[in-house]
Amino acid sequence: MDDDWGPIPLSRLSHAGFCLRRAALLTNEQIWKESADTAKGRAEHERVHAQRIERRGETAKLYEFPVFSHTLGVAGKCDCIEAQTDARGCRIPALDFPARLYPVEYKHGEIRAEREYEIQLCAQAMCLEEMFQTSIPEGAIYYITSHRRYSVPFTEELRNLVKETIHKIELFRRSFSIPPAEKEAKCRACSLREHCRPGMQRSASNYCHELRREAMERDVK
Ligand code: SF4
């Protein structure tokens, strides 16, 4: 992994899973636009998060736990790691007992399955596995507003998707390129749509295509 650029933030994987162009705008143009949604999400995160360990009997919760992977070239934080005492578990410096680790990512809004969040969560697990030579088969995404969560199995398919996403980010990061906009339903919820102008970009490209077609028609006459 080329480390001239430093590690890729884990949250960038989630953006890339949502839209590669969005991740590239954030990375190569350092554009960020707060929307009502992102502001609400950030406020909810700030209320919930402060780095700490909560111990209760045989379990502990580690909040805002820093993680990294040299192999993947990523770094960030786990919102929460639930640690359960297990003699076959791993040793981590923050705990005085061997533990099984279960990462939980906090998101705002109502419960819904979002692949990009699953990519981010799985990348966290892969970091923990590398850091503590352990195996983590599952984690969960917790929705703060609805107080509900769903479990995410870390399948081979999801792990490969994490690696593919990192590879795509590496490519646009090295080439300073921004992938073209694909106007889709998700653009309505994107805080970068004003800057991205997906519809306009398509109109412009359609216009160029039309000019090319007319020029070719003239040439054959
Ligand atoms: S507006 Fe659409 S194409 Fe543009 S960055 Fe957002 S999601 Fe991607």
Side-chain angles (χ1 to χ4, degrees):
M1 183 67 67
D2 182 352
D3 59 4
D4 282 356
W5 294 89
I8 295 169
L10 284 170
S11 58
R12 197 57 47 86
L13 271 62
S14 175
H15 289 295
F18 177 74
C19 170
L20 207 57
R21 179 173 166 83
R22 178 180 167 91
L25 287 169
L26 292 169
T27 304
N28 291 342
E29 294 191 8
Q30 266 112 52
I31 288 164
W32 176 249
K33 188 97 174 47
E34 190 87 290
S35 69
D37 259 9
T38 58
K40 189 164 179 244
R42 196 168 40 74
E44 283 181 345
H45 253 82
E46 281 164 7
R47 263 202 307 280
V48 172
H49 299 288
Q51 197 166 31
R52 66 189 188 281
I53 299 175
E54 289 178 2
R55 180 89 185 256
R56 191 170 296 174
E58 299 287 279
T59 64
K61 287 185 178 178
L62 300 94
Y63 291 94
E64 290 288 287
F65 191 86
V67 293
F68 60 87
S69 161
H70 290 307
T71 310
L72 297 173
V74 297
K77 284 183 179 173
C78 288
D79 286 341
C80 177
I81 302 170
E82 296 176 354
Q84 173 76 44
T85 306
D86 185 336
R88 291 167 304 165
C90 61
R91 288 274 179 189
I92 73 172
L95 298 174
D96 57 4
F97 56 83
R100 224 174 332 116
L101 306 180
Y102 192 91
V104 181
E105 174 69 13
Y106 286 61
K107 296 295 178 193
H108 81 101
E110 300 299 321
I111 192 164
R112 60 197 186 276
E114 304 272 8
R115 201 55 166 163
E116 64 267 25
Y117 295 161
E118 296 173 8
I119 292 170
Q120 183 182 359
L121 178 70
C122 184
Q124 292 170 7
M126 291 165 82
C127 288
L128 289 166
E129 288 177 337
E130 184 177 314
M131 289 167 71
F132 301 117
Q133 291 82 54
T134 189
S135 159
I136 303 178
E138 190 182 287
I141 298 179
Y142 175 80
Y143 283 86
I144 301 169
T145 313
S146 54
H147 303 288
R148 292 178 63 202
R149 72 191 212 175
Y150 76 94
S151 53
V152 179
F154 300 136
T155 59
E156 253 338 279
E157 185 208 350
L158 184 55
R159 287 169 186 269
N160 286 336
L161 195 51
V162 168
K163 290 179 196 161
E164 280 167 30
T165 305
I166 292 169
H167 181 62
K168 285 178 186 167
I169 294 173
E170 277 297 318
L171 287 179
F172 69 61
R173 205 160 74 147
R174 285 180 197 183
S175 61
F176 277 113
S177 59
I178 307 283
E182 298 287 339
K183 192 177 181 189
E184 294 177 37
K186 66 185 177 187
C187 297
R188 282 200 296 273
C190 178
S191 63
L192 300 188
R193 66 185 176 280
E194 285 301 308
H195 181 87
C196 170
R197 308 262 178 117
M200 261 174 94
Q201 199 190 45
R202 175 161 291 187
S203 303
S205 98
N206 286 349
Y207 177 64
C208 291
H209 181 75
E210 197 54 31
L211 286 180
R212 265 199 309 276
R213 191 184 58 75
E214 283 175 15
M216 284 168 72
E217 280 175 4
R218 272 199 306 276
D219 286 349
V220 293
K221 278 179 189 168

